[in-house]
Amino acid sequence: MAIRKTKLRKVVIIGTGLVGTSYAYALLNQGVVNELVLIDLDQAKAEGEARDLNHGMAFGNPMRIKAGDYQECHNADLVVITAGANQKPGETRLDLVTKNAKIFKGIIEKVMDVDFQGIFVVATNPVDILTHLTREISGLPKERVIGSGTILDTARFRYLLGEHFEVDPRNVHAYIIGEHGDSELPVWSHVQIGGVPLSQYAGIDNFYQNQAMTEIFENVRDAAYHIIERKGATYYGIGLGLVRLTKAILNNENAILTVSAKLEGQYGLNDLYLGVPVLLNENGIREVIELELTKKENQQLHQSAEVIQEMIDTGMKAIK
């Protein structure tokens, strides 16, 4: 693997909608980068957002924030894509695929035209499919194309388990894997609270027949629908998730996060992106962590992969 050295701590955000600007706002608050560039089809919107963020600089962390064009991607460490059509009420993430595949083709080609040498992070839905398409269109090594995957689903899962058992979510270790969407699954066999398996901690023999645990997972899986119904879109949670991902890469953390990564034999799956735990550092994905799944979990993961593969095929047709 070629070693990339992060020098500029420069991030380019493509798309200044609610997710892109929530991410930008969180980056300013946490002082993660030295330079932040906003790109949008609506140049005036990008300029307005950059000005607004700059006016908070005295209360945040010193950094350069500006609106720019695709030329700015040339020396960026990360290009984070949040652009695309939004999920509408009643619409699944997978309904979005054809619309966003065409939008992405134009974006990726423009980024690659300026000899981009950094890492792509994709947050637009359906994220697993669009991350796969980003890799196909860009031709970059798989470790340098990452999707936000189930990073937020995993955070929601840990939060709800922590709330239920009255334990700090940071001491709850749990994963949601598979598609970031309706076919995702909880890895009950690896949930731990303070290092103690949940089955032992809570005395649960069968998670699938436990009403409280079933409701927790359903609230994780359907969280986006519940939020969209009430306020129209989700953006704060994923904005913070993207900052966590950014820190892991720019700070060379070798942190384990659940993101959309390309599988090549792991979990018995090949040539597709889906949400799994990975080790992340300044080169992108160092390795995919392969959990030992139960028979049921493995079956659910393969069903999720089938859903993704069908949509990848749809997306590939849309860009050809």
Side-chain angles (χ1 to χ4, degrees), residues 103-279:
I103 293 169
F104 260 59
K105 187 170 192 286
I107 290 171
I108 308 302
E109 286 174 349
K110 285 175 187 165
V111 174
M112 295 312 294
D113 281 348
V114 300
D115 192 31
F116 174 58
Q117 296 293 320
I119 292 168
F120 273 117
V121 174
V122 178
T124 309
N125 283 317
V127 69
D128 304 289
I129 291 94
L130 293 175
T131 308
H132 187 98
L133 296 182
T134 299
R135 160 87 177 79
E136 291 288 328
I137 298 162
S138 68
L140 286 178
K142 65 184 185 301
E143 61 270 12
R144 283 170 49 202
V145 181
I146 305 165
S148 53
T150 52
I151 193 169
L152 180 54
D153 311 83
T154 292
R156 287 166 172 158
F157 193 36
R158 291 171 65 195
Y159 166 73
L160 290 172
L161 285 167
E163 188 179 49
H164 181 82
F165 292 109
E166 296 184 345
V167 174
D168 186 329
R170 290 172 298 182
N171 299 120
V172 176
H173 293 275
Y175 298 113
I176 298 287
I177 63 172
E179 176 210 353
H180 171 55
D182 300 339
S183 70
E184 67 188 31
L185 62 133
V187 188
W188 288 117
S189 63
H190 286 275
V191 178
Q192 293 184 346
I193 292 184
V196 180
L198 185 58
S199 53
Q200 183 184 329
Y201 183 89
I204 298 171
D205 293 325
N206 189 329
F207 292 103
Y208 303 100
Q209 289 177 357
N210 183 291
Q211 190 180 349
M213 296 303 102
T214 300
E215 284 176 6
I216 282 173
F217 169 61
E218 286 173 353
N219 279 325
V220 169
R221 183 193 63 201
D222 301 337
Y225 299 125
H226 296 159
I227 295 168
I228 288 165
E229 204 177 290
R230 287 162 175 78
K231 59 174 269 191
T234 72
Y235 38 92
Y236 296 136
I238 189 58
L240 289 163
L242 289 170
V243 173
R244 179 69 196 95
L245 216 161
T246 303
K247 282 180 172 176
I249 295 169
L250 294 184
N251 297 341
N252 196 27
E253 286 183 16
N254 290 299
I256 296 175
L257 297 169
T258 46
V259 301
S260 193
K262 189 177 185 187
L263 298 186
E264 293 183 328
Q266 299 95 336
Y267 299 99
L269 296 167
N270 266 298
D271 196 32
L272 84 165
Y273 272 80
L274 52 66
V276 286
V278 306
L279 267 167

Side-chain angles (χ1 to χ4, degrees), residues 24-67:
Y25 180 64
L27 284 175
L28 172 59
N29 269 309
Q30 296 189 39
V32 181
V33 301
N34 293 338
E35 187 173 353
L36 181 62
V37 181
L38 309 179
I39 298 177
D40 199 282
L41 204 56
D42 183 345
Q43 178 71 13
K45 170 87 161 64
E47 285 173 5
E49 297 291 359
R51 287 186 190 193
D52 200 3
L53 289 164
N54 273 315
H55 296 162
M57 193 83 72
F59 314 117
N61 291 277
M63 58 191 282
R64 289 186 68 204
I65 306 173
K66 63 180 181 180

